[in-house]
């Protein structure tokens, strides 16, 4: 014989259709979104991991000042136990788009190329460019691109296996796929580009690969010593420190963990809301439950009955969510990743892990939370249910309130105290929704502030770094020295620091020290350094260390830099007294041959992080804001609805006593409104502190620094959005209060 209680489920579903529909749609979207991203990111990671062997990705690369002899390379190979591959490149400014293109010969042995569209160059006037760079700059196969002074035909979109993220330098805080790109040409085409911007770059593979990053670090330090003995090293990047290779794996892995935790938090909150809703239903149907228990129904049968709807909702949501995740949301996630990374051709990799995380575990969470609360609630005796005596802990007397408080205010306080579990969930829900709000609205503002800070703190319009001292006739150009050192690894991993040597009366950077140094505000904040502290830096491509006393903090919040007197710079690093290797200028220096220019730093170069993140993740920030708003409205609607339903009999009685709908709403809806507004106001400062800590901890893992600086207007917008959304919900609850009949108070007279 079938359990007659099953017949109640369709009626319950119909009577609460609105509630279940909202939860059902919300869970489908959340599970679908996370499932799609987990599948896409899992597929990306598989493609990325397989690319190391498939495309023979290097174990590292180094640059030297001039082409070495074959004997020198053979000695490095023998002493370092490696195999060296020539991997020269040149850099050219492009005329058709505002960018720098790094051009290699086509790779056939090391760091091989994946073709996405078209075919590789066959003549010297053809070029294959990075797919993401091409799409970001609206270039297509068959178009013409002018690199330097040479006009080239684009024959293919490719991805270079050692540039899965387009980092121009590993010291950059963020890759830039808009104004920096990589490309390959035929050997004849490469040779025809000339020697300007030429880099003697070599890649290596170990004969005996390291077992892990710790061993790789030890081997790379030994190898650097070998290379330094045989050549003048101007650049050295082992694979484990190469952001262009490593970033995709690290970032995608972090995405998966964050999304999984996010899903579980949302499922837990929804599970608690459904459990509270079920508790309210049990309170309304307590006499029926007591009668059923007295008639022979077991506690397990009653629990299974009330578990049925929450479990049905989560199971069906998970199934449909995964279907949508593998179709619509996977494409969304794939496009977001492809807008950020230059990885080989995408192939979907069905993931058992994603299914477990987005289906099995959410179902288990929903079951455990609802079962635990139901088991606790239904442990009462049948007689207690028949008497509607459902409190597990009996309060001897009600909390005494000061009689000087107005009757209406005391009534509202009583409502809040009697519905405390619901209001606690409202506070938790608003806390989580506000975090999502702040991420969606605040992070773009942080990037915009960073862009403005770059413009305000830029030293000059053009920072020239020269390969050797060259004079200019421009009288406004100021000589300076530039170098790079590294911080010592400790609380944070080692990071490149730009070191400036400046004239005493510099027109561009005002410092007042002859022996000590100034550090940038960004350096001070990130590494927690104060004035009069001593900092220790080391050579980037060597072992020598330098100690400097901090004489002051220079107001530059965007760059990790050290500033010192030029004479002190030359003495410290053992250069000639008149040595310099750069110019600071607000004008372009046209009388310096490009052959002597190592690089030119402009405001565009410093703004790459904001530009790239806005391009890659701008739509994601909007999605976070929209999702936070929907989640907020869902939680507030369901819980405020429960408060009204739980107090239906009291509301009916107050109507009998002569109170009108507006006055009753002033009691019940205003009570919820007070909790909502106070939750916004009280949780926002805590969220601000927490988000500051989280973002600074996250950003500290990357080179450079972005200060956490969310303008007050963002918090005003968040609170305003919440209050406007709540006003819509309050109007809906007002209509619910109006529909409660006066005879309801007479139906359950004890």
């Amino acid at each position: 014989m079938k359990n007659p209680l099953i017949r109640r489920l369709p009626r319950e579903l119909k009577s609460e259709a609105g509630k279940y529909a909202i939860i059902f749609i919300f869970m489908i979207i959340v599970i679908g979104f996370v499932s799609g991203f987990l599948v896409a990111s899992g597929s990306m990671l598989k493609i990325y991991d397989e690319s190391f062997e498939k495309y023979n990705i290097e174990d590292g690369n180094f640059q030297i000042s001039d082409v070495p002899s074959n004997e020198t390379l053979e000695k490095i190979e023998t002493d370092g136990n490696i195999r060296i591959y020539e991997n020269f490149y040149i850099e050219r400014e492009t005329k058709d788009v505002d960018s720098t293109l790094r051009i290699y010969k086509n790779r056939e042995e090391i760091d091989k190329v994946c073709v996405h569209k078209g075919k590789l160059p066959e003549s010297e006037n053809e070029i294959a460019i990075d797919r993401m760079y091409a799409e970001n700059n609206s270039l297509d196969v068959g178009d013409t691109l002018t690199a330097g002074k040479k006009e080239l035909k684009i024959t293919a979109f490719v991805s270079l296996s050692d540039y899965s993220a387009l980092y121009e330098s590993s010291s950059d805080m963020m890759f830039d796929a808009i104004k920096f790109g990589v490309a390959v040409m035929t050997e004849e085409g490469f040779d025809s580009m000339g020697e300007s911007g030429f880099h003697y770059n070599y890649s290596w593979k170990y004969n005996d690969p390291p077992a892990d990053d710790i061993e790789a670090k030890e081997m790379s330090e030994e190898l650097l010593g070998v290379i330094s003995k045989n050549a003048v090293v101007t650049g050295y990047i082992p694979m484990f420190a190469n952001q262009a290779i490593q970033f995709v794996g690290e970032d995608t892995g972090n995405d998966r963990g964050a999304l999984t935790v996010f899903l579980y938090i949302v499922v837990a909150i929804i599970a608690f809301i459904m459990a509270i809703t079920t508790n309210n239903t049990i309170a309304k149907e307590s006499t029926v439950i007591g009668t059923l228990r007295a008639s022979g129904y077991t506690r397990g049968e009653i629990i299974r009955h009330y578990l049925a709807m929450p479990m049905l909702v989560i199971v069906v949501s998970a199934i449909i969510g995964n279907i949508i995740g593998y179709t619509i949301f996977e494409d969304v996630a794939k496009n977001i990743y492809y807008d950020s990374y230059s990885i080989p051709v995408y192939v979907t990799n069905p993931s058992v892990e994603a299914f477990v995380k987005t289906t099995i575990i959410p179902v288990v969470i929903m079951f455990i939370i609802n079962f635990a609360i139901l088991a606790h609630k239904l442990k009462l005796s049948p007689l207690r249910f028949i008497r509607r005596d459902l409190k597990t802990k009996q309060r001897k007397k009600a909390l005494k309130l000061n009689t000087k408080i107005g009757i209406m205010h005391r009534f509202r306080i009583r409502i809040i105290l009697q519905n405390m579990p619901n209001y606690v969930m409202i506070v938790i829900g608003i806390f989580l929704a506000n975090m999502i709000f702040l991420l969606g609205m605040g992070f773009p503002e942080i990037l915009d502030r960073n862009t403005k800070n770059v413009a305000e703190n830029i030293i000059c319009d053009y920072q020239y770094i020269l390969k050797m001292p060259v004079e200019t006739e421009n009288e406004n150009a100021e000589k300076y020295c530039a170098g790079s050192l590294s911080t010592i690894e400790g609380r944070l991993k080692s990071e490149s620091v730009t070191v400036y040597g400046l004239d005493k009366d510099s027109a561009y950077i005002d410092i007042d020290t002859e022996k000590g140094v100034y550090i940038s505000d960004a350096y001070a904040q990130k590494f927690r350094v104060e004035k009069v502290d001593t900092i220790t830096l080391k050579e980037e491509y060597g072992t020598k260390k330098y100690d400097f006393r901090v004489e002051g903090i220079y107001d530059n919040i965007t760059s990790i830099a050290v500033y010192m007197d030029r004479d002190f710079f030359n003495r410290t690093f053992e250069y000639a007294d008149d040595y310099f290797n750069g110019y600071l200028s607000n004008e372009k220096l046209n009388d310096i041959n490009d052959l002597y220019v190592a690089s030119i730093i402009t405001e565009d170069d410093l703004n790459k992080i904001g530009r790239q993140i806005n391009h890659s993740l701008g739509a994601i920030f909007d999605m976070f804001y929209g999702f936070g708003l929907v989640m907020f409205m869902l939680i507030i609607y369901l819980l405020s609805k429960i408060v009204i339903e739980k107090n239906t009999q009291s509301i009916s009685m107050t109507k009998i006593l002569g109170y009108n709908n507006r006055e009753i709403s002033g009691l019940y809806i205003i009570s919820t409104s007070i909790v909502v507004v106070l939750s916004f106001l009280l949780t926002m400062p805590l969220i601000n502190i927490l988000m500051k800590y989280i973002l600074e901890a996250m950003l500290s893992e990357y080179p450079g620094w972005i200060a956490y600086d969310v303008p007050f207007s963002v918090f005003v917008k968040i609170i305003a959005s919440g209050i406007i959304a709540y006003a819509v919900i309050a109007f809906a609850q007002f209509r619910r209060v109006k529909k409660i009949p006066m005879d309801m108070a007479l139906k359950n007279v004890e």
Side-chain angles (χ1 to χ4, degrees):
M1 178 180 175
K2 291 184 179 180
N3 188 342
L5 290 177
I6 295 175
R7 299 176 183 175
R8 297 185 74 247
L9 295 178
R11 292 200 298 271
E12 183 183 345
L13 181 62
K14 183 178 179 180
S15 63
E16 297 285 351
K19 177 187 75 175
Y20 287 120
I22 292 171
I23 295 175
F24 182 66
I25 293 170
F26 182 76
M27 291 306 302
I28 286 176
I29 293 172
V30 173
I31 291 173
F33 177 82
V34 175
S35 174
F37 268 81
L38 288 180
V39 171
S41 61
S43 301
M44 290 283 182
L45 280 175
K46 190 172 189 295
I47 294 167
Y48 170 79
D49 291 338
E50 291 175 347
S51 69
F52 284 83
E53 182 177 350
K54 183 177 180 180
Y55 297 99
N56 196 29
I57 296 177
E58 65 186 37
D59 288 326
N61 67 78
F62 63 90
Q63 290 184 37
I64 53 180
S65 59
D66 204 351
V67 61
S69 63
N70 290 333
E71 292 78 11
T72 299
L73 291 177
E74 288 173 3
K75 183 170 178 54
I76 294 173
E77 283 186 324
T78 302
D79 295 347
N81 194 25
I82 61 172
R83 183 177 178 188
I84 296 176
Y85 300 84
E86 182 183 291
N87 207 358
F88 298 161
Y89 68 83
I90 55 177
E91 291 186 341
R92 291 288 183 272
E93 301 297 318
T94 55
K95 181 180 178 182
D96 310 87
V97 293
D98 181 15
S99 68
T100 299
L101 203 59
R102 183 172 292 173
I103 305 171
Y104 291 85
K105 297 177 186 177
N106 186 30
R107 287 96 166 271
E108 297 179 350
E109 292 184 289
I110 194 79
D111 301 332
K112 295 177 185 178
V113 177
C114 174
V115 178
H116 291 261
K117 181 180 180 181
K119 61 180 182 177
L120 290 172
E122 296 176 350
S123 70
E124 69 173 54
N125 292 320
E126 294 179 339
I127 190 170
I129 62 176
D130 179 83
R131 173 200 57 81
M132 188 167 62
Y133 165 81
E135 291 176 357
N136 290 344
N137 289 287
S138 301
L139 298 170
D140 203 352
V141 172
D143 289 350
T144 298
L145 181 66
T146 303
K149 297 180 180 179
K150 187 156 183 152
E151 198 172 90
L152 303 166
K153 181 182 178 181
I154 300 171
T155 63
F157 289 168
V158 297
S159 57
L160 276 60
S161 53
D162 57 329
Y163 282 95
S164 52
L166 288 180
Y167 276 91
E168 189 171 0
S169 169
S170 276
S171 62
D172 291 341
M173 189 174 184
M174 178 54 66
F175 58 89
D176 185 0
I178 300 172
K179 297 200 173 185
F180 173 73
V182 290
V184 294
M185 297 179 68
T186 63
E187 186 170 351
E188 295 78 16
F190 182 85
D191 293 339
S192 71
M193 296 298 291
E195 296 184 2
S196 175
F198 195 93
H199 293 258
Y200 295 99
N201 189 68
Y202 293 88
S203 298
W204 82 78
K205 291 281 287 186
Y206 291 111
N207 293 329
D208 299 312
D212 51 36
D213 281 353
I214 296 174
E215 188 178 351
K217 184 177 181 181
E218 294 172 354
M219 291 173 66
S220 71
E221 290 174 351
E222 293 174 3
L223 179 60
L224 177 58
V226 170
I227 300 172
S228 299
K229 290 177 182 177
N230 294 278
V232 178
V233 182
T234 58
Y236 184 83
I237 309 174
M239 183 179 66
F240 70 85
N242 191 339
Q243 291 279 73
I245 296 175
Q246 297 290 343
F247 184 81
V248 171
E250 295 172 356
D251 188 56
T252 306
N254 291 337
D255 289 347
R256 293 172 67 78
L259 283 169
T260 303
V261 171
F262 170 74
L263 172 63
Y264 297 160
I265 291 173
V266 171
V267 171
I269 289 175
I270 296 298
F272 274 111
I273 290 174
M274 295 196 75
I276 292 171
T277 303
T278 305
N279 264 349
N280 185 49
T281 303
I282 289 172
K284 289 192 297 184
E285 300 177 347
S286 62
T287 53
V288 176
I289 294 170
T291 303
L292 289 172
R293 289 292 311 280
S295 302
Y297 279 84
T298 65
R299 189 159 65 104
E301 287 175 317
I302 303 297
I303 290 174
R304 287 195 293 274
H305 171 71
Y306 284 107
L307 266 176
M309 287 308 300
M311 297 310 300
L312 179 64
V313 168
I314 190 66
V315 169
V316 176
S317 299
I319 293 171
I320 297 176
N322 271 277
I323 293 171
I324 295 174
Y326 269 87
T327 52
I328 299 171
F329 283 111
E330 185 193 5
D331 286 338
V332 172
K334 180 193 74 173
N335 292 334
I336 288 173
Y337 281 121
Y338 263 73
D339 281 345
S340 302
Y341 305 137
S342 293
I343 65 170
V345 176
Y346 180 84
V347 178
T348 298
N349 178 42
S351 173
V352 175
E353 179 192 6
F355 177 77
V356 170
K357 288 182 175 179
T358 59
T359 303
I360 304 300
I361 295 179
V363 168
V364 171
I365 291 173
M366 182 68 75
F367 175 80
I368 290 174
I369 291 174
N370 278 272
F371 179 81
I373 294 176
L374 282 171
H376 177 73
K377 190 74 174 179
L378 292 171
K379 69 181 182 181
L380 300 175
S381 66
L383 185 59
R384 293 273 297 274
F385 277 102
I386 293 173
R387 290 177 174 176
R388 306 180 68 83
D389 181 13
L390 303 183
K391 292 184 179 179
T392 55
K393 291 183 180 180
Q394 296 294 329
R395 186 187 294 274
K396 293 183 179 179
K397 58 181 180 179
L399 180 66
K400 188 175 181 180
L401 298 177
N402 194 322
T403 55
K404 292 182 180 179
I405 301 174
I407 180 63
M408 301 300 281
H409 295 308
R410 274 183 283 158
F411 203 126
R412 293 189 186 101
I413 294 173
R414 294 284 184 207
I415 292 170
I416 293 172
L417 293 175
Q418 290 168 2
N419 294 276
M420 190 57 69
N422 301 326
Y423 288 132
V424 168
M425 287 304 301
I426 284 178
V427 174
I428 294 172
I430 289 175
F431 181 85
L432 185 61
N434 279 348
M435 287 195 69
I436 299 172
F437 276 148
L438 188 56
L439 189 61
M441 297 179 68
F443 203 73
E445 290 288 344
I446 292 173
L447 295 178
D448 288 343
R449 284 288 182 99
N450 184 70
T451 301
K452 292 176 183 177
N453 287 334
V454 167
E456 293 171 359
N457 291 282
I458 191 167
I459 298 171
C460 56
D461 293 340
Y462 299 92
Q463 294 180 49
Y464 282 80
I465 299 177
L466 307 174
K467 295 178 180 177
M468 62 182 68
V470 178
E471 296 292 337
T472 178
E473 295 181 2
N474 191 316
E475 296 179 355
N476 295 320
E478 184 179 292
K479 296 175 181 177
Y480 79 108
C481 297
S484 293
L485 294 174
S486 295
T487 58
I488 305 298
E489 192 156 342
R491 181 179 63 87
L492 301 176
K493 64 183 181 181
S494 180
E495 180 172 341
S496 179
V497 179
T498 304
V499 183
Y500 292 90
L502 305 156
D503 288 342
K504 289 183 176 61
D505 299 319
S506 172
Y508 296 95
I509 299 177
D510 183 19
I511 63 170
D512 184 18
T513 180
E514 294 185 358
K515 293 185 178 180
V517 301
Y518 275 57
I519 62 173
S520 64
D521 204 11
Y523 189 123
Q525 288 188 24
K526 182 169 186 176
F527 293 94
R528 301 175 186 172
V529 178
E530 298 179 356
K531 187 177 179 180
V532 310
D533 286 350
T534 297
I535 60 173
T536 301
L537 303 173
K538 68 178 183 68
E539 291 178 324
E540 281 196 305
Y541 311 119
T543 58
K544 192 172 182 180
K545 296 181 179 179
Y546 301 89
D547 293 328
F548 300 107
R549 177 183 168 85
V550 178
E551 299 290 340
I553 310 295
Y554 183 72
D555 186 16
N556 182 353
I557 198 63
T558 59
S559 302
I560 307 296
V562 169
Y563 311 92
M564 62 181 71
D565 181 79
R566 184 149 68 100
D567 292 337
F568 182 51
F569 182 100
N570 289 334
R571 289 196 306 272
T572 301
F573 301 109
E574 300 176 355
Y575 291 113
D577 292 343
D578 60 348
Y579 173 81
F580 70 96
N581 66 340
Y583 284 104
L584 302 176
S585 174
N586 286 323
E587 301 170 4
K588 194 167 184 178
L589 305 181
N590 296 314
D591 58 342
I592 297 180
N593 194 309
D594 290 343
L595 290 172
Y596 303 118
V597 177
S599 63
I600 304 173
I601 301 173
T602 64
E603 185 178 336
D604 260 350
D605 299 310
L606 300 174
N607 275 329
K608 63 179 63 176
I609 179 170
R611 183 169 59 241
Q612 183 60 45
I613 291 180
N614 276 325
H615 174 79
S616 301
L617 301 178
I620 290 292
F621 294 138
D622 293 337
M623 288 172 63
F624 270 117
Y625 173 75
F627 181 81
L629 190 62
V630 171
M631 183 174 179
F632 165 79
M633 294 186 71
L634 171 67
I635 291 171
I636 302 302
Y637 172 76
L638 291 176
L639 293 173
S640 60
K641 177 175 175 287
I642 290 171
V643 172
I644 299 296
E645 290 176 348
K646 186 177 178 181
N647 292 276
T648 298
Q649 190 168 347
S650 298
I651 293 171
S652 178
M653 182 64 72
T654 53
K655 287 188 176 183
I656 292 173
L657 294 175
Y659 288 89
N660 61 39
N661 290 320
R662 187 176 298 277
E663 290 170 327
I664 295 171
S665 298
L667 293 172
Y668 290 92
I669 296 177
I670 294 299
S671 299
T672 303
S673 303
I674 291 170
V675 174
V676 169
V677 173
L678 285 178
S679 297
F680 265 108
L681 297 178
L682 296 178
T683 61
M684 197 58 73
L686 178 60
I687 290 170
N688 187 38
I689 294 170
L690 184 62
M691 191 64 74
K692 181 177 187 295
Y693 174 80
I694 291 172
L695 286 180
E696 288 187 351
M698 289 172 53
L699 294 173
S700 66
E701 295 297 315
Y702 298 94
W705 185 242
I706 294 181
Y708 179 83
D709 184 15
V710 179
F712 181 74
S713 59
V714 169
F715 299 106
V716 173
K717 290 176 184 177
I718 291 174
I719 294 173
S721 298
I723 291 175
I724 292 171
Y726 176 69
V728 176
I729 295 168
F731 177 74
Q733 300 304 359
F734 176 72
R735 294 183 63 187
R736 184 176 296 276
V737 169
K738 287 174 64 178
K739 291 180 180 179
I740 295 174
M742 287 188 286
D743 61 357
M744 183 67 68
L746 305 175
K747 288 183 178 180
N748 295 306
V749 177
E750 297 180 4

